[in-house]
Amino acid sequence: MRVELRNLCKRWGNVVGVDNISLEIKDSEFVALLGPSGCGKTTTLLMIAGIYKPTSGEILFDGRIVNHIPPKDRNIGMVFQSYALYPHMTVFENMAYPLKLQKVPKDEQRRRVQHVADMMGIGHLLDRKPGQLSGGQQQRVALGRALVKDPELLLFDEPLSNLDARLRLTMRGEIKRRQMELGITSIYVTHDQVEAMTMADRIAVIKDGKLQAYDTPDELYERPRTLFIAGFIGNPPMNLINGVEVVRDGEEYLARHQAFCLRVPAERGKHVAAKGEVILGIRPEDISLADDGQDGMRGEVYVVEPLGRDDLVNVELPGNTFIHFLADPALRLKPGTPVALCFNTEKVQFFDPRTERSLLWH
Amino acid sequence: MAIWVETERTGGLSRQLRSSMAYVLLIVSIIPILVGYAWLLIATFSYRTEGLLPKDAEGHVGGWTLANWAFVTDPLIWRVTLNSLLIALAMVVGVGLASSLAGYALSRMNFVGRRGFLSMTLILHAFPSVTLLISIFFVLQAISALPGFGNIFGYNTVGGVALVMVSLDLPLGIWLMKGFFDNISWDMERAALIDGASRFRVWWEIIMPQIRPGLAALAIFTFLTGWSAYLIPATFTIGTKVSNLPVYINYLMSETSPTNWNQIAAVGLFQMIPILVFFFFTQEKLLNIYSGGTKGGV
């Protein structure tokens, strides 16, 4: 099913929950609504579900306006963060409830529930009550309940937030796999950018009720259009360095800061030259230690955080500037060690500090 | 290690001392109540009592008798017992139903006047019912004038008393139920709406089962209120024909002849029997009320 939001707004008195969001979701696409808590992503989801009524704007399913269609007639399945299982019913009754309400015959109910339960790996738990299940099993039941009625649209409201880290990883893969197999259009609300990056075909980044960007994970990562996206997408987050000035130097462009002077490729530098002070962004993985003899940016190791595969190293540059980079743990960097750093200037980003928008991508 | 064991031991000792102190305090404080119940039990089966000692006509210890229980052969007692039961049951059903519906609406829906309604219920709850007696009298008179309806819920009817009692108990019930509904997650309700349930089915099939312990508590309290009600039945029923047990007890205390306290004790015990039986069978459930809730579930 195709979903389209047109100028969607939700206000409670003076409080703006969702501010003029427009986006369309293709058939069988997996879209993540990503943003910090309280940004309006769940409100958007609940409007799509029909629980909240939009203050203004339109929601279209397959080109049909559904603003006034109650949730039960929208043919959607929804999975909640709290699982929202009915504690007084068994797993079977929970999963059969949507079918019972559709007046599906008893034997067909049993057949369909069993089918979905087997698919979710909970076929042997049908007689249990939700309270007797682990968090992961409960979430499978919730997903099964959403799937059993063959919805045309699946809505997820932070479904993995209550699970422990390991289980989250497993369920993440499982949800993505099911969604691909079944080809059901899905909208997935999360504040976890890793979840959004790994699962979604496209990500809608929302901040303060406004749509910041709507693009594929790669695009958001490689070409962040705003400072917010640059800082939000990617783990560990991008280094953002204030007070950088880019000047033209013959055929070349130089990014100057009190701690360093950097040669920037012309295709990036030409957009930024003579724009006054800008913010330079560089991802930790695009910074490396300078080779011997290479002229690097001089600094001193401030903190080392081992991440296992890499060490996340915080380096203090002159002028009280701190940047993170990823280093090989074998180097055994220690606080106080002097280092020389080298930026992969092909990957630097530039932002206007006033508009907080990218100077490279529009 | 040794030091650790030692502190553990003294800790255990002081804890033991503290808990036994608590027991002593509790036992001492319930002695007056226990003595009261003992007197009630002894008095109902004796000719007269001096302190806790049953005495016969000559003043010797003894004089056990069943004479005080003669009232059970009087058809009137069964009539007033039935009335007590009717009032209590009407309250359970009326308060339970109205407060679960109103509490749900107040907890979950946004409508004009919601805030005003909530604060009004709270204010009404703070009103002592004695101050409302005269105005309620006029309301019941007005209801009596209605054809048909007036015969059931008018002045001097069991229905009328039940109606007044239900309405006086509603503020408490509504607030209690609203509190129980407030504790149920919105997600569960949203899930049911998306599953295809109507608002009413959500209330009945999904939400009500969650608050069953709370509803049970409310039912028990309203039953007890109705069963032992005195002020309202005594005011709005003339003559014992349509009145209830507490009013009947008062009627036994005649102003002209000396009161037979032992008979009153017997009626009092008679009134307590159903409650005692009830508590005996529901004790465990009653204790569960506060620890139960929706914990077993999500």
Side-chain angles (χ1 to χ4, degrees):
Chain A
M1 186 162 69
R2 277 181 299 120
V3 179
E4 197 181 337
L5 310 180
R6 280 188 196 154
N7 307 105
L8 200 62
C9 291
K10 180 69 186 176
R11 281 186 295 274
W12 291 274
N14 289 329
V15 183
V16 179
V18 172
D19 191 359
N20 205 18
I21 287 184
S22 299
L23 55 85
E24 42 49 68
I25 296 159
K26 287 181 251 164
D27 188 36
S28 73
E29 196 175 15
F30 193 123
V31 167
L33 304 184
L34 176 66
S37 44
C39 73
K41 55 196 192 301
T42 298
T43 309
T44 309
L45 197 73
L46 288 174
M47 283 195 281
I48 297 169
I51 301 288
Y52 286 167
K53 286 206 168 58
T55 311
S56 64
E58 283 151 4
I59 300 165
L60 294 92
F61 287 1
D62 279 335
R64 203 163 44 98
I65 293 177
V66 295
N67 281 32
H68 297 289
I69 295 179
K72 65 189 172 87
D73 299 324
R74 295 192 181 198
N75 198 17
I76 48 183
M78 186 156 172
V79 182
F80 295 86
Q81 178 180 354
S82 62
Y83 319 133
L85 298 176
Y86 314 130
H88 57 295
M89 297 184 185
T90 63
V91 169
F92 175 81
E93 287 165 337
N94 263 283
M95 291 177 67
Y97 192 63
L99 301 178
K100 187 178 134 195
L101 294 170
Q102 285 175 9
K103 303 208 165 44
V104 171
K106 275 262 159 57
D107 46 335
E108 198 191 330
Q109 280 183 27
R110 187 150 283 284
R111 195 177 50 74
R112 280 170 68 175
V113 168
Q114 190 68 51
H115 172 72
V116 173
D118 288 342
M119 181 172 81
M120 298 303 304
I122 45 167
H124 57 295
L125 302 171
L126 289 180
D127 296 327
R128 303 257 190 102
K129 290 271 177 75
Q132 297 167 298
L133 304 181
S134 70
Q137 289 169 330
Q138 290 191 37
Q139 195 52 285
R140 275 166 217 264
V141 175
L143 186 55
R145 186 178 65 187
L147 287 174
V148 79
K149 58 179 188 173
D150 289 330
E152 290 180 86
L153 176 64
L154 269 175
L155 305 177
F156 297 89
D157 185 10
E158 311 224 8
L160 305 183
S161 300
N162 282 5
L163 301 179
D164 63 66
R166 211 186 139 81
L167 202 54
R168 204 177 301 165
L169 225 66
T170 328
M171 283 302 287
R172 206 163 79 189
E174 202 159 318
I175 289 177
K176 189 175 182 182
R177 174 87 206 178
R178 296 276 165 263
Q179 194 271 338
M180 271 164 64
E181 279 173 0
L182 301 168
I184 304 170
T185 313
S186 300
I187 305 176
Y188 189 104
V189 161
T190 179
H191 63 264
D192 181 348
Q193 52 94 17
V194 179
E195 254 172 45
M197 294 282 283
T198 51
M199 298 172 82
D201 298 324
R202 278 197 284 175
I203 300 174
V205 182
I206 299 174
K207 187 195 173 198
D208 299 333
K210 289 189 181 72
L211 186 64
Q212 293 267 316
Y214 182 41
D215 229 320
T216 60
D218 285 350
E219 273 291 310
L220 291 176
Y221 192 79
E222 297 291 342
R223 294 188 243 278
R225 281 176 167 72
T226 68
L227 199 60
F228 173 74
I229 297 168
F232 198 61
I233 303 272
N235 187 28
M238 186 185 281
N239 292 296
L240 297 166
I241 304 165
N242 279 304
V244 175
E245 211 167 337
V246 177
V247 290
R248 188 167 181 167
D249 178 28
E251 287 303 297
E252 293 182 312
Y253 290 88
L254 294 174
R256 283 204 301 233
H257 182 258
Q258 66 181 116
F260 56 82
C261 183
L262 211 61
R263 230 171 273 283
V264 182
E267 56 174 53
R268 295 204 177 204
K270 68 185 180 200
H271 298 289
V272 199
K275 286 269 165 77
E277 286 203 344
V278 295
I279 297 170
L280 181 145
I282 180 98
R283 295 202 181 274
E285 59 265 38
D286 295 326
I287 303 174
S288 53
L289 286 174
D291 297 328
D292 292 337
Q294 201 180 355
D295 192 23
M297 192 177 290
R298 309 227 160 257
E300 195 174 86
V301 175
Y302 188 66
V303 177
V304 180
E305 297 166 62
L307 299 177
R309 197 184 53 187
D310 302 299
D311 278 349
L312 180 61
V313 183
N314 194 355
V315 174
E316 185 176 11
L317 300 177
N320 216 15
T321 306
F322 291 88
I323 57 172
H324 285 95
F325 83 104
L326 292 171
D328 186 349
L331 293 172
R332 296 183 183 283
L333 292 175
K334 292 268 173 314
T337 317
V339 287
L341 300 177
C342 195
F343 283 14
N344 178 0
T345 50
E346 301 284 328
K347 296 285 183 75
V348 290
Q349 308 285 342
F350 292 102
F351 300 93
D352 185 323
R354 283 171 298 279
T355 61
E356 302 199 340
R357 302 194 74 85
S358 172
L359 292 163
L360 305 179
W361 329 107
H362 303 289
Chain B
M1 193 63 182
I3 293 164
W4 182 76
V5 169
E6 194 133 299
T7 50
E8 177 66 9
R9 222 175 251 162
T10 47
L13 200 72
S14 77
R15 202 178 313 134
Q16 232 170 38
L17 199 76
R18 226 179 304 150
S19 71
S20 49
M21 281 284 287
Y23 275 113
V24 169
L25 221 85
L26 285 172
I27 289 167
V28 169
S29 58
I30 63 167
I31 282 176
I33 304 169
L34 287 179
V35 170
Y37 280 116
W39 179 85
L40 189 71
L41 200 66
I42 294 164
T44 59
F45 295 108
S46 47
Y47 182 70
R48 64 193 180 84
T49 48
E50 269 183 39
L52 286 177
L53 292 177
K55 293 281 172 73
D56 60 16
E58 281 83 47
H60 300 115
V61 174
W64 296 100
T65 172
L66 279 176
N68 297 324
W69 288 86
F71 68 88
V72 294
T73 57
D74 180 1
L76 186 63
I77 186 75
W78 297 107
R79 178 67 211 256
V80 295
T81 307
L82 179 69
N83 287 345
S84 265
L85 190 69
L86 282 177
I87 292 170
L89 288 180
M91 281 193 66
V92 170
V93 174
V95 174
L97 198 69
S99 353
S100 357
L101 284 167
Y104 178 75
L106 288 169
S107 166
R108 291 301 152 100
M109 291 172 185
N110 214 344
F111 49 89
V112 180
R114 178 179 170 276
R115 251 173 195 289
F117 189 91
L118 268 176
S119 38
M120 274 302 282
T121 11
L122 202 63
I123 292 167
L124 283 178
H125 182 51
F127 252 88
S129 43
V130 190
T131 58
L132 296 171
L133 286 180
I134 294 168
S135 44
I136 291 172
F137 173 77
F138 285 113
V139 173
L140 281 179
Q141 288 269 293
I143 292 176
S144 297
L146 298 172
F149 198 71
N151 295 335
I152 310 167
F153 293 106
Y155 181 69
N156 209 2
T157 60
V158 177
V161 170
L163 189 68
V164 174
M165 296 282 303
V166 166
S167 30
L168 287 176
D169 233 34
L170 269 183
L172 175 74
I174 290 172
W175 268 92
L176 261 176
M177 292 309 276
K178 180 192 170 290
F180 289 125
F181 285 120
D182 284 347
N183 281 331
I184 306 282
S185 90
W186 283 80
D187 280 355
M188 206 183 296
E189 193 160 351
R190 288 169 180 158
L193 282 174
I194 289 169
D195 278 351
S198 63
R199 198 91 211 205
F200 183 78
R201 282 192 89 150
V202 172
W203 174 75
W204 180 247
E205 286 182 353
I206 304 297
I207 307 297
M208 286 306 274
Q210 314 294 322
I211 56 156
R212 215 180 282 153
L215 194 62
L218 181 65
I220 289 160
F221 288 126
T222 47
F223 185 89
L224 293 182
T225 314
W227 182 254
S228 54
Y230 173 72
L231 182 67
I232 305 293
T235 317
F236 299 119
T237 52
I238 302 173
T240 50
K241 272 238 170 69
V242 290
S243 204
N244 66 347
L245 271 169
V247 177
Y248 178 81
I249 293 177
N250 186 48
Y251 154 85
L252 291 176
M253 292 189 249
S254 159
E255 276 171 21
T256 47
S257 56
T259 306
N260 182 351
W261 290 109
N262 296 59
Q263 189 196 6
I264 287 177
V267 182
L269 192 61
F270 176 79
Q271 193 198 339
M272 269 178 62
I273 290 170
I275 310 249
L276 288 176
V277 171
F278 177 74
F279 267 91
F280 184 77
F281 284 109
T282 60
Q283 221 183 83
E284 233 162 281
K285 283 228 170 62
L286 283 174
L287 288 174
N288 272 336
I289 282 171
Y290 299 102
S291 58
T294 55
K295 252 187 209 153
V298 173

